[in-house]
Amino acid sequence: MVFVLGVVAFAVCIGISIALHECGHMWVAKATGMKVRRYYIGFGPKILSWRRGETEYGLKAIPAGGFCDIAGMTAVDELAPDEVDRAMYKQKTWKRLAVMFGGIAMNFVLGFALLYTLALGWGLPNRDTSATVAGTQCVAPQDAEGEIAPCTGPGPAGAAGIRAGDVVTAVNGTPTATFADVVAAVQNAEGTVDVTVDRAGDTLTVPVEVQRTERLFSTATADDPDATELRTTGAIGVARTPLTIRYDALSAVPGAISFAGYTGVETVKAIVDLPQKVGALWTSITGGERSADTPISVVGASVIGGQAAERGLWELFVGLLATLNFFLGVFNLLPLLPLDGGHIAVTIYEGVRNRIRALRGLGRGEPVNYLKLMPLTYVVIAIGGAFMLLTLTADIVNPIDLFGN
């Protein structure tokens, strides 16, 4: 039941994000004197509508997007007599750009707000994936309940001279890019290992005696996802930096800004890689394994949101929603019609062209003929629709399962 409610809640949150995106367009258009004829959430048959002022608001049957109908978005738009002077395509370049960027900015603002909430409530992921030592500690056995026995002393690493802040770069000559690599290299080792560390730019090799101890390992299966067993393993007593960084109300602002920048860069990389993921999606549909880094549809994202809610992992729920908002914002910047970025590109072209004409003593040029751009627009719509259908099929036939159920 919690899973179903989580799926529904996540889908509703996506709908709210889309609604606010369209609100961004509408609010800026109204503020700059343009006429907004209609503001609708969804597509297809109309469920209900109401009018407030000169704008008709409403809901449609298919909850997949929405639209904001601004009078005269293009020169081919039919205008009522009272709309001629307020037509969008006749407005100054900065006003038209402000309207187009309004929706995109709304997604970025919402994404930042969600990251700020994540930073305050649960902390943000630590992006330092290097094997940085947070401190040294004694090595004590773990019981079947997961409890660590009390112990004293600096532990093998501390006794050997390893300090907090050291970055472990190799164990017995094997490179260790992450802390997980260090753990893997030590677990099966006995006796003494040579631990190479970077200390403030200096490279040191420290011999450390491995201590054998008991640790609890997961033996999860589909029938028993919580199964564990005690095993004897090697340890040297180093603590890793925290997986998440906690913030207070003030420090969460720069923390969220920094993580938003990182998320934006990763989103751009993901969009650039989208064409390369087509093969992986098709493989997952035709019986192959579904990789966790393949693109997902709204359905797939909602399912993951439901899985997170079912396990009480609300930080994953909020983080995924923030990521989707950044994706919506960045994706809409692509200079392709019918995306916002396509309209932005046309507006910038007209603005630059008109500035050049003015320098030559000429009047404004004719608006770009969108009818000539329709073939390219249809190609973009067809490719986008096919990709959406592919991801939706993959999410139904072979959904991503982050928890190995």
Side-chain angles (χ1 to χ4, degrees):
M1 185 62 179
V2 175
F3 169 74
V4 174
L5 291 175
V7 171
V8 173
F10 198 88
V12 169
C13 288
I14 293 176
I16 292 173
S17 297
I18 294 171
L20 289 175
H21 175 96
E22 297 302 328
C23 277
H25 293 311
M26 179 179 67
W27 290 335
V28 177
K30 286 179 175 289
T32 52
M34 301 178 202
K35 179 180 178 180
V36 179
R37 297 163 172 162
R38 295 180 299 164
Y39 171 88
Y40 270 80
I41 300 302
F43 293 100
K46 181 169 61 176
I47 297 176
L48 59 92
S49 66
W50 64 95
R51 178 170 292 277
R52 183 174 180 182
E54 61 186 11
T55 304
E56 178 184 315
Y57 301 85
L59 297 173
K60 295 202 171 188
I62 303 174
F67 64 91
C68 174
D69 178 17
I70 304 172
M73 285 192 67
T74 70
V76 298
D77 192 4
E78 292 186 7
L79 300 172
D82 66 315
E83 298 171 344
V84 173
D85 293 334
R86 301 171 64 190
M88 182 173 172
Y89 77 89
K90 292 186 176 183
Q91 306 304 308
K92 293 182 179 179
T93 299
W94 73 265
K95 290 185 178 182
R96 296 168 64 189
L97 290 177
V99 171
M100 289 297 103
F101 278 112
I104 295 170
M106 187 62 71
N107 284 126
F108 289 148
V109 169
L110 185 55
F112 173 79
L114 289 166
L115 287 182
Y116 182 81
T117 301
L118 188 64
L120 270 183
W122 299 275
L124 294 172
N126 187 351
R127 303 201 303 278
D128 181 8
T129 59
S130 64
T132 303
V133 177
T136 59
Q137 59 197 19
C138 57
V139 176
Q142 190 175 27
D143 62 24
E145 302 300 321
E147 296 293 329
I148 301 289
C151 65
T152 58
I162 291 179
R163 307 172 187 170
D166 287 349
V167 179
V168 181
T169 57
V171 174
N172 278 343
T174 301
T176 51
T178 67
F179 202 86
D181 294 334
V182 177
V183 174
V186 170
Q187 280 181 344
N188 297 321
E190 295 185 6
T192 301
V193 293
D194 289 330
V195 179
T196 304
V197 301
D198 182 310
R199 180 178 295 167
D202 295 328
T203 299
L204 306 173
T205 298
V206 182
V208 181
E209 183 179 354
V210 177
Q211 183 173 336
R212 305 297 291 178
T213 189
E214 298 291 311
R215 284 290 182 268
L216 204 59
F217 286 81
S218 172
T219 57
T221 63
D223 296 329
D224 189 2
D226 299 321
T228 58
E229 70 175 14
L230 283 173
R231 297 177 187 169
T232 301
T233 185
I236 59 174
V238 289
R240 64 162 298 158
T241 53
L243 294 175
T244 58
I245 301 174
R246 301 302 298 266
Y247 299 87
D248 57 28
L250 187 61
S251 63
V253 175
I257 292 174
S258 175
F259 201 83
Y262 165 78
T263 304
V265 170
E266 292 302 306
T267 300
V268 171
K269 292 179 181 178
I271 291 175
V272 171
D273 289 341
L274 280 180
Q276 302 176 27
K277 300 294 184 180
V278 172
L281 282 171
W282 181 253
T283 299
S284 69
I285 291 173
T286 55
E289 185 178 351
R290 178 78 183 272
S291 174
D293 66 350
T294 50
I296 55 177
S297 66
V298 172
V299 172
S302 298
V303 168
I304 295 175
Q307 293 172 355
E310 186 177 34
R311 290 162 176 79
L313 299 175
W314 293 106
E315 65 273 28
L316 176 60
F317 187 99
V318 174
L320 180 59
L321 192 60
T323 301
L324 282 174
N325 271 278
F326 280 104
F327 178 84
L328 286 172
V330 174
F331 188 75
N332 267 290
L333 283 172
L334 293 177
L336 300 170
L337 291 170
L339 300 176
D340 293 336
H343 292 286
I344 289 171
V346 169
T347 300
I348 291 175
Y349 163 74
E350 290 184 352
V352 171
R353 180 203 61 190
N354 289 336
R355 180 62 61 87
I356 293 174
R357 287 177 63 86
L359 292 175
R360 296 170 58 193
L362 303 173
R364 292 168 61 92
E366 291 296 320
V368 167
N369 188 344
Y370 272 76
L371 293 178
K372 293 182 178 180
L373 298 176
M374 289 307 294
L376 180 60
T377 302
Y378 288 140
V379 170
V380 173
I381 293 173
I383 294 175
F387 191 82
M388 289 176 62
L389 182 60
L390 187 65
T391 56
L392 178 61
T393 304
D395 288 333
I396 294 173
V397 174
N398 189 4
I400 292 176
D401 186 358
L402 296 181
F403 304 98
N405 288 339

